[in-house]
């Protein structure tokens, strides 16, 4: 904190927000209607609020930089923090449904910006329901990477439609991703891993990355290590099931 | 608890619907579970025949329309069945069941597919390719092709070139999806989203350019605007604030929020004009559409003198230059007459003439038609105002999200039945 006022929700030694003040219910129902502001269209997203260093004043039209990475259901934001320094010139955003968790990530980023001047300016977070509002945030082919790390499993058959990876939702992700863009998914729930993989395999606009490509991609290693959920699974020695696919042009479109 | 079907009485109120054959061979009205068709060539009421072996509609019809060529007709609604009719002899040759209530339908331009949307935002397709129009089709299953996640789809429309299927929803959104050559495999490729409305989208229509091959999309919304879109990019070309520009806000004094939602629109006169029905307005707003300049502007309001009549549904017949309008509803609460329909027409859109409402005896088909479609010839204006008001309430309840203040929300949670412990 710049002023030395004591913030009880932040650690005294590091200035970082403490997670226990931001915990909420573990799972929330993405189908219930919550009320939070939703931008009317991607051009209504105020970049100067999210990335003040890149966009010093509101409505800066000459800066054509756009968000390129989206971490869907970002939780406490560990992945974004790691990606921020790995891709310092890329704008990235976390989308999180839980209000308190989103607040935590916001505070975390602000604290990191203060502690590390010039860094972490390219990351931000919004509270939203990604299952409904992706098209309000991103234009067609705007994103180069989308992340779905350790999403809620929704085991019961009748709740499968709450899953963030589903055949119909993949249409929207394919819309937001540029051709060649990559969708990263990982889970420690084997059944969900199978589900995500088969949804992606059966979708005409995605194809799996080859072993070689996976090895060459520095982001792949972060999937199981960078997020809070990933670290928990690793501590318990759990197995993980990744599925990583590339956005392609559907074959009935190629001449 | 899953998304509740709103069980309040007002939502059960179903607006009366009207559909006009593209060459005005017949006019159909749906009111509650009733489908009424008048054959203008034979000048007689049509008796519907069901060859499909399925049941007739047993609950409110929520969508009813002709295909582009007029050979097919589809009706569907709260009873979760979709009935497909051949208009030649008005035989229903196919009844498809849906898992959920159906709220919108569309027929592909070539007549090969019927699509319908259910209340959970899923769009389904029924394959009619190779159907010769004579035999009843056996059991037909619908296949899901796309989904608006947990939204209510309000309209479905095919682009005139047949390349796209357009779906509009209560979350202010219009999705334009490529309708592929093998649509049973799904409609995965999203061409664009048309975003700009700030309330539910209630109606869609295409405008054809006279000298330019590009078709633009029109949409009407609960935000009282009509908007013009380029569907290939999703770009918003123009916004017409119908209720402000037509002077409705002044005339009604302190306008309430959502008082002037657009309920329906359709293009007239080769797309030079757009007829717009507005909630609470006893008249029709004519918006002129300048295709080459890509602009919309209010041309005039055609007021209805005399009888109180708030149109809620529209249909236009290009060959005759006649605009058909309907008001009315079924399942009206607190009414002596639970279902009401009133049909009127406007003619005289030709440039030299002034469009005007036609007297009942001058309506094509005359009083016989009115008796068939309305169920009666005699009308009492006030009950229709009540009906229009009930439709308005139902529409708002269904499509506008309730804003619960935080304390209220907590209270709702605590009192929700599914959370209550058994004593
Ligand atoms: C199990 S956590 C994983 C968090 C993080 N990705 C990680 O690996 O640590 C899943 C997160 O997704 C969020 N979530 C669930 N549905 C969502 C939705 N529809 N939109 C946005 N976030 C959602 C939940 O609130 C939760 O924080």
């Amino acid at each position: 904190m710049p002023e030395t006022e004591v913030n009880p929700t932040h650690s005294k030694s590091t200035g970082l927000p403490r997670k226990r003040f931001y915990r909420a219910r573990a799972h929330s129902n993405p189908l219930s209607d919550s009320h939070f502001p939703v931008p009317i269209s991607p051009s209504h997203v105020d970049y100067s609020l999210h990335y003040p260093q890149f966009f010093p004043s509101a409505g800066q039209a000459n800066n054509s930089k756009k968000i390129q990475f989206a971490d869907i259901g970002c939780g406490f934001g560990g992945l974004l923090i790691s990606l921020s320094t790995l891709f310092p010139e890329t704008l990235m955003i976390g989308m999180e449904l839980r209000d308190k968790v989103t607040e935590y990530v916001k505070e975390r980023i602000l604290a990191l910006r203060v502690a590390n001047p010039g860094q972490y300016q390219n990351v931000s977070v919004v509270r939203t329901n990604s299952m409904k509002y992706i098209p309000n945030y991103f234009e067609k082919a705007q994103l180069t990477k989308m992340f779905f790390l350790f999403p809620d499993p929704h085991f019961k058959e009748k709740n499968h439609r709450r899953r963030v990876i589903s055949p119909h939702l993949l249409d929207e992700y394919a819309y937001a991703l540029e051709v060649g863009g990559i969708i990263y998914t990982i889970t420690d729930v084997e059944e969900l891993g199978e589900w995500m993989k088969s949804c992606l395999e059966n979708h005409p606009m995605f194809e799996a990355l080859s072993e070689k490509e996976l090895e060459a991609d520095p982001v792949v290693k972060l999937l199981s290590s960078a997020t809070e959920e990933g670290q928990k699974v690793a501590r318990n020695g759990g197995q993980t099931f990744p599925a990583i696919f590339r956005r392609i042009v559907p074959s009935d479109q190629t001449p | 608890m899953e998304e509740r079907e709103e069980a309040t009485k007002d939502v059960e109120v179903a607006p009366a619907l009207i559909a006009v054959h593209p060459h005005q061979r017949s006019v159909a009205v749906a009111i509650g579970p009733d489908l009424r068709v008048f054959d203008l060539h034979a000048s007689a009421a049509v008796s519907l025949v069901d060859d499909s072996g399925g049941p007739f509609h047993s609950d409110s019809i929520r969508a009813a329309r002709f295909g582009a060529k007029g050979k097919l007709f589809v009706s569907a609604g709260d009873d979760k069945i979709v009935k497909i009719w051949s208009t030649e002899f008005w035989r229903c040759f196919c009844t498809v069941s849906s898992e959920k209530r159906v709220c919108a339908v569309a027929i592909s331009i070539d007549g090969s597919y019927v699509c319908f949307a259910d209340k959970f935002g899923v769009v389904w397709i029924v394959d009619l390719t190779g159907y010769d129009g004579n035999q009843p089709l056996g059991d037909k299953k619908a296949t899901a092709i796309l989904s608006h996640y947990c939204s209510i789809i309000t309209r479905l429309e095919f682009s005139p070139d047949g390349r796209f299927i357009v779906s509009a929803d209560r979350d202010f959104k219009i999705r334009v999806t490529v309708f592929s050559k093998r649509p049973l495999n799904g409609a995965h490729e999203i061409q664009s989203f048309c975003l700009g409305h700030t309330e539910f989208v209630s109606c869609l229509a295409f405008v054809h350019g006279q000298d330019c091959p590009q078709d633009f999309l029109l949409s009407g919304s609960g935000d009282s605007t009509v908007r013009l879109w380029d569907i290939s990019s999703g770009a918003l070309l123009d916004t017409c604030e119908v209720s402000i520009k037509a002077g409705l806000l002044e005339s009604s004094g302190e306008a309430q929020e959502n008082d002037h939602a657009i309920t329906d629109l359709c293009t007239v006169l080769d797309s030079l004009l757009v007829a717009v029905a507005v909630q609470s307005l006893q008249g029709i707003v004519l918006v002129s559409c300048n295709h080459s300049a890509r602009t919309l502007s209010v041309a005039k309001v055609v007021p209805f003198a005399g009888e109180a009549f708030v149109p809620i549904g529209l249909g236009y017949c290009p060959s005759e230059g006649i605009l058909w309008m309907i008001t009315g509803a079924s399942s009206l609460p607190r009414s002596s007459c639970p279902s009401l329909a009133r049909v009127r027409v406007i003619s005289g859109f030709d440039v030299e003439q002034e469009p005007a409402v036609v007297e009942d005896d001058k309506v094509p088909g005359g009083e016989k038609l009115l008796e068939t479609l309305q169920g009666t010839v005699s009308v009492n204006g006030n009950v229709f105002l009540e009906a229009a008001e009930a439709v308005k309430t139902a529409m708002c309840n269904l499509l506008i999200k309730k804003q619960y203040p935080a304390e209220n929300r907590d209270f709702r949670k605590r009192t929700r039945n599914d959370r209550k412990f058994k004593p």
Side-chain angles (χ1 to χ4, degrees):
Chain A
M1 299 273 109
E3 310 88 27
T4 47
E5 118 200 3
V6 185
N7 189 336
T9 61
H10 287 54
S11 152
K12 275 199 202 96
S13 51
T14 63
L16 290 175
R18 288 183 293 182
K19 241 199 294 190
R20 69 182 145 108
F21 290 104
Y22 297 89
R23 273 193 219 287
R25 272 195 303 144
H27 301 285
S28 37
N29 178 357
L31 304 191
S32 73
D33 268 322
S34 318
H35 295 283
F36 40 78
V38 176
I40 291 169
S41 77
S43 63
H44 291 80
V45 177
D46 187 348
Y47 276 58
S48 69
L49 282 182
H50 289 288
Y51 313 103
Q53 189 156 312
F54 284 93
F55 297 81
S57 64
Q60 251 212 333
N62 52 354
N63 192 342
S64 60
K65 222 174 163 63
K66 294 202 173 120
I67 295 168
Q68 289 191 297
F69 294 178
D71 184 2
I72 312 300
C74 66
F76 293 103
L79 177 74
L80 289 166
I81 303 304
S82 301
L83 289 173
S84 174
T85 46
L86 203 55
F87 300 90
E89 287 304 312
T90 304
L91 300 184
M92 45 190 95
I93 201 152
M95 298 187 133
E96 174 52 54
L97 187 57
R98 287 181 290 168
D99 196 13
K100 289 219 173 107
V101 175
T102 313
E103 280 309 308
Y104 170 85
V105 179
K106 239 181 238 170
E107 293 295 330
R108 184 176 183 183
I109 293 169
L110 288 178
L112 282 167
R113 285 179 184 175
V114 170
N116 307 274
Q119 284 190 295
Y120 301 102
Q121 297 294 334
N122 59 334
V123 280
S124 191
V125 66
V126 282
R127 179 188 178 206
T128 198
N129 184 345
S130 68
M131 291 177 166
K132 282 181 96 151
Y133 300 116
I134 292 250
N136 297 71
Y137 282 90
F138 311 117
E139 285 163 12
K140 189 175 188 172
Q142 180 178 327
L143 298 178
T144 57
K145 293 185 193 300
M146 291 183 90
F147 299 93
F148 297 83
L149 310 193
F150 302 96
D152 297 332
H154 297 296
F155 287 108
K156 282 189 229 139
E157 168 98 38
K158 81 171 178 68
N159 287 342
H160 282 183
R161 26 185 245 101
R162 297 187 189 182
R163 287 179 168 172
V164 280
I165 299 286
S166 75
H168 291 311
L169 283 169
L170 284 179
D171 298 350
E172 286 194 11
Y173 307 153
Y175 164 85
L177 278 169
E178 66 172 23
V179 170
I182 297 175
I183 183 167
Y184 299 84
T185 74
I186 192 167
T187 175
D188 59 322
V189 178
E190 185 166 10
E191 182 208 321
L192 179 65
E194 286 298 321
W195 163 272
M196 295 198 289
K197 190 160 152 237
S198 77
C199 287
L200 283 158
E201 276 172 351
N202 293 325
H203 197 285
M205 295 161 87
F206 289 102
E207 89 184 355
L209 264 66
S210 68
E211 284 301 327
K212 243 169 102 183
E213 288 168 316
L214 292 175
E215 264 163 46
D217 186 342
V219 171
V220 173
K221 291 158 199 73
L222 295 178
L223 303 183
S224 55
S225 65
T227 69
E228 288 61 24
E229 204 60 39
Q231 287 160 8
K232 196 159 89 192
V233 172
R235 271 200 305 277
N236 299 335
Q239 225 191 326
T240 54
F241 307 91
I244 299 154
F245 281 67
R246 179 189 303 104
R247 159 77 156 89
I248 54 167
V249 177
S251 56
D252 63 346
Q253 284 284 298
T254 39
Chain B
M1 165 142 61
E2 294 280 282
E3 310 83 273
R4 283 141 284 167
E5 303 245 322
E6 322 267 310
T8 66
K9 258 277 172 288
D10 286 337
V11 173
E12 299 301 322
V13 170
L17 309 170
I18 191 162
V20 184
H21 185 276
H23 308 301
Q24 202 164 291
R25 287 186 42 178
S26 49
V27 179
V29 161
I31 175 102
D34 268 4
L35 183 60
R36 304 168 181 168
V37 183
F38 191 83
D39 183 331
L40 280 159
H41 280 193
S43 199
V46 169
S47 51
L48 303 170
V49 184
D50 200 330
D51 283 344
S52 70
F56 197 72
H57 287 296
S58 59
D59 204 341
S60 294
I61 298 170
R62 296 286 181 168
R65 66 192 296 177
F66 287 90
K69 299 195 176 102
K71 285 195 183 141
L72 294 175
F73 182 88
V74 180
S75 56
D78 288 351
D79 55 8
K80 307 179 186 173
I81 60 173
V82 178
K83 296 189 79 76
I84 309 172
W85 308 79
S86 155
T87 59
E88 175 94 56
F89 301 107
W90 283 96
R91 288 172 183 278
C92 172
F93 62 87
C94 183
T95 300
V96 185
S97 47
S98 162
E99 285 166 33
K100 315 281 184 204
R101 294 175 179 214
V102 179
C103 39
V105 296
I107 301 171
S108 70
I109 301 299
D110 64 0
S112 299
Y113 301 96
V114 165
C115 289
F116 64 90
D118 70 27
K119 269 196 74 173
F120 282 52
V122 180
V123 176
W124 303 78
I125 192 165
V126 182
D127 185 2
L128 301 180
T129 44
Y131 166 68
D132 67 2
N134 297 320
Q135 250 73 108
L137 271 177
D139 246 6
K140 274 277 168 190
K141 281 253 168 343
T143 312
I145 56 167
L146 67 92
S147 160
H148 285 220
Y149 198 80
C150 293
S151 191
I152 295 176
I153 292 181
T154 50
R155 286 290 170 109
L156 278 180
E157 202 69 48
F158 281 94
S159 64
D161 60 11
R163 288 172 58 214
F164 302 107
I165 181 166
V166 183
S167 39
D169 70 26
R170 60 123 55 147
D171 288 294
F172 324 167
K173 204 161 74 229
I174 301 168
R175 168 172 160 168
V176 180
T177 313
V178 175
F179 193 72
S180 74
K181 301 208 173 54
R182 290 183 298 279
L184 294 176
N185 295 344
H188 301 290
E189 196 184 347
I190 300 171
Q191 178 68 26
S192 67
F193 284 99
C194 301
L195 301 173
H197 280 300
T198 55
E199 259 304 342
F200 61 88
V201 182
S202 53
C203 44
L204 299 172
F206 275 92
V207 283
H208 324 279
Q210 242 79 53
D211 15 61
C212 139
Q214 203 179 3
D215 295 312
F216 293 140
L217 180 70
L218 285 165
S219 59
S221 155
D223 67 10
S224 308
T225 67
V226 170
R227 295 179 199 244
L228 185 68
W229 310 89
D230 174 356
I231 58 165
S232 61
S233 65
L236 175 60
L237 303 175
D238 200 12
T239 299
C240 182
E241 298 189 328
V242 172
S243 57
I244 295 174
K245 290 285 150 46
L248 304 181
L249 291 184
E250 284 100 68
S251 64
S252 63
E254 282 287 284
Q256 273 173 291
E257 215 187 330
N258 308 315
D259 222 16
H260 290 296
I262 309 297
T263 49
D264 203 1
L265 53 73
C266 77
T267 57
V268 300
L269 267 194
D270 289 333
S271 298
L272 289 173
L273 282 178
V274 189
V276 182
V278 184
Q279 252 169 16
S280 309
L281 175 69
Q282 296 184 32
I284 284 285
V285 181
L286 294 179
V287 171
S288 62
C289 175
N290 184 333
H291 199 276
S292 49
R294 307 174 165 203
T295 55
L296 298 172
S297 55
V298 169
K300 62 152 59 181
V301 182
V302 182
F304 303 151
E307 181 184 329
F309 180 77
V310 176
I312 58 171
L314 305 175
Y316 182 72
C317 174
S319 57
E320 308 294 319
I322 285 177
L323 179 72
W324 294 78
M325 307 174 287
I326 193 164
T327 194
S330 64
S331 313
L332 288 168
R334 304 175 294 275
S335 172
S336 52
C337 194
S339 100
L340 296 160
R342 170 78 172 122
V343 174
R344 305 210 72 184
V345 308
I346 294 182
S347 71
F349 287 101
D350 324 54
V351 215
E352 316 92 69
Q353 275 175 284
E354 281 289 297
V357 182
V358 171
E359 290 304 319
D360 278 4
D361 53 346
K362 304 269 170 30
V363 167
E367 298 203 327
K368 216 160 146 192
L369 169 136
L370 293 178
E371 189 172 358
T372 305
L373 299 182
Q374 297 175 173
T376 168
V377 255
S378 64
V379 284
N380 162 4
N382 285 334
V383 295
F384 289 105
L385 285 189
E386 279 166 35
E389 218 33 49
V391 166
K392 183 168 122 185
T393 313
M395 192 164 175
C396 291
N397 285 354
L398 181 67
L399 297 176
I400 297 177
K401 302 206 179 134
K402 291 147 208 84
Q403 304 281 342
Y404 297 110
E407 327 81 83
N408 248 339
R409 199 158 16 183
D410 284 346
F411 179 73
R412 256 164 37 87
K413 268 187 196 151
R414 266 183 281 129
T415 54
R416 261 162 49 168
N417 282 328
D418 54 330
R419 293 274 168 76
K420 270 192 195 142
F421 294 102
K422 299 247 160 61

